[in-house]
Amino acid sequence: KNKKKIMCGIIGIASNKPVSINIINSLKKLEYRGYDSAGLATLTDDSINEKKCSGRVEELEKILFKAPSNGNIGIGHVRWATHGVPNIINAHPHSSEQVSVVHNGIIENSDEIKRELVSKGLKFKSQTDTEVITLLITEALKENEPLKSVYKTLKKLKGSFALGIIFKNFSNIIIGARRGSPLAVGYSKEENYIGSDSYALKSMTNKISYLDDGELCVLTKDQISFYDESLKKINKKIHTMSESETAIDKGEYKHFMLKEIYEQPITIKNCISEYVDSLKKNINIINFPIEPNNINKIVLVGCGTAYNSCLTAKYWFEELTTIDVEIDIASEFRYRKLKFNSKNLYIFVSQSGETADTAAALDLCKKNNVKTCSIVNVIESTIARNSDWVLPIHAGTEIGVASTKAFLGQLTVLYILCLKLAIVRKDIDERTYVKNINNLKKLPEAIKECINIESNVQLMAKEFLSAKGSMFLGRGSSFPIALEGALKLKELSYLHAEGYPAGEMKHGPLALIEEGLPVIILAPKDKYFEKTLSNMQEVIARGGKILFITDNKKDSLNENIRFGLRVPHLDNLLSPILLTLPLQMLAYHVALLKNCDVDKPRNLAKSVTVE
Ligand code: F6R
């Protein structure tokens, strides 16, 4: 069975001028959602004109360059397949003579519907679940007008979708619909849009509405109508997006990832200034969904890098507050048999705010009537909109698939939240609070210093090329950073790497150490320092090649250490943030040396909107 599950980006434009160039530009912005095939369809001379390719949007652009598509109405798609080979046939849009559809999501009962339609004599061109939508609408159009046809079709579908649909015989409209996958709607003069996110529409408009689950919209070039799940006409709020987000081109940098690494002193400074009142030496976080003194437990949930930030924060909450902390990976959390408690605060950490597992974990909490908070970068996102309380990380748009500045932003907000809870609950005294705030304010400068050690990191990077794998070791709050360093190296350079608590090595992984294996030791001068050094000796004795990263001012380097790097020291609490920078750059440089696609690592996507 070759069922295609897709996580994709969609766009639709209704205009008074040709739309294909703007569709291509928007698809390029949506490539973070998927980039294994692309396509568009426009309406020209009362027929549907479809162009598709496997591979990147760039390929589609070349096709259009040779044979331009006219048409003032059009839809486009970038695809990310989780099953089967992505090819032209399975690329979207999926069109019949009458209708063309782009889809983000999964139709769970597509096999059933397909069997039904095939038994009626209908023919399928692709192996996708999406094509059932095309054929169902085509059938319904025989007896209904477009909106009714779409509505009737949606009633038959199980699963999740965001859809963009155009019609041969109704050449001035696009219909959009949402259930479970995000869909933004944009307004402009003589032009209207639908898109998987507001970012895709940003260069065209800053006026955005969001469809909620079950809702539909019909756009023409000068009008947008919205309908609820019973097809009653409704009004939607229009948000005006802020202009303050950072520029979204690479500028002088070779890759978005490098630009995003270098932006961190600024993004962290912005983040701190959003939350910290420098004059009063206070953190202006208010309106806690649960009175801080009544919080029984904090539960932190995220995926991948966001999970690593949760794991780091656990150490902070334990150190500074008396609150019990639990952490979980969203894809585990959502299926566990949990004991929900209304005195627990459930915090969801996500750069995109669209990660399917994290969003589902949040929904589960909502169903169980507990209070939720989200820490996100994209404030217009599903997770942000669905949670009781939002703490944005203010990192600006992150394009590189490997998360860098968003990770540091997540850590910073979690740390700030922790400090605020600690002082409100009187778990720390005023003096400690002010001291910690003062140190926090020094963070952007210290991050800048960390970035300046790039040339040493480049030397280190060479060590990984011929190695079988590598290990990243740390203790305490350096342990999650070891995990994050290994994750970055894996995803960017396709080399095996493991992150481990240094004290756990002798319980198994020490067997992996052999002559010349690169081992990164994270050893800030904290209460674990001496213990980490002993763990390092165990590795040296077995031939590991040590790359030592510390903030210890005294020379702890010796002849057994192949490379040493020193990051600045502010206080022990902030060391995980500073230790992250050399690891981000290490992964970047190893990937460069291996000629990997740094901004778009294979098999991945920026926003994981399927389970
Ligand atoms: C790794 C990375 C991923 C994401 C994860 C969650 O560099 O970027 O591990 O952290 O897919 O994504 P968000 O934060 O958007 O929920």
Side-chain angles (χ1 to χ4, degrees), residues 104-121:
N104 169 27
I106 302 163
I107 305 305
E108 286 164 3
N109 58 341
S110 66
D111 287 350
E112 209 179 300
I113 299 176
K114 212 168 187 168
R115 271 197 300 276
E116 219 175 276
L117 293 175
V118 167
S119 72
K120 282 192 192 161

Side-chain angles (χ1 to χ4, degrees), residues 133-166:
I133 308 176
T134 309
L135 294 193
L136 284 175
I137 298 174
T138 308
E139 285 295 286
L141 275 172
K142 290 178 182 160
E143 284 164 19
N144 303 278
E145 42 89 24
L147 183 61
K148 227 6 191 323
S149 305
V150 173
Y151 182 71
K152 284 191 154 178
T153 298
L154 300 191
K155 284 209 158 295
K156 295 186 179 146
L157 303 179
K158 288 194 184 130
S160 69
F161 50 78
L163 298 172
I165 309 154
I166 55 173

Side-chain angles (χ1 to χ4, degrees), residues 302-307 349-355 358 383 398 400-404 410 484 487-488 491 605-608:
C303 300
T305 287
Y307 170 74
V349 183
S350 172
Q351 187 286 127
S352 63
E354 301 294 351
T355 299
T358 314
I383 290 173
E398 190 180 67
V401 165
S403 188
T404 51
Q410 290 158 1
E484 175 61 8
L487 177 61
K488 283 294 97 97
E491 70 173 323
K606 183 73 183 154
S607 180
V608 185

Side-chain angles (χ1 to χ4, degrees), residues 281-319:
K281 296 271 184 302
N282 196 4
I283 291 169
N284 48 23
I285 293 184
I286 49 166
N287 295 336
F288 284 87
I290 303 177
E291 207 287 304
N293 282 302
N294 294 339
I295 297 175
N296 170 50
K297 189 198 269 184
I298 286 180
V299 182
L300 295 160
V301 181
C303 300
T305 287
Y307 170 74
N308 291 340
S309 71
C310 297
L311 186 48
T312 314
K314 183 177 160 77
Y315 290 88
W316 287 329
F317 280 105
E318 284 174 354
E319 188 67 35

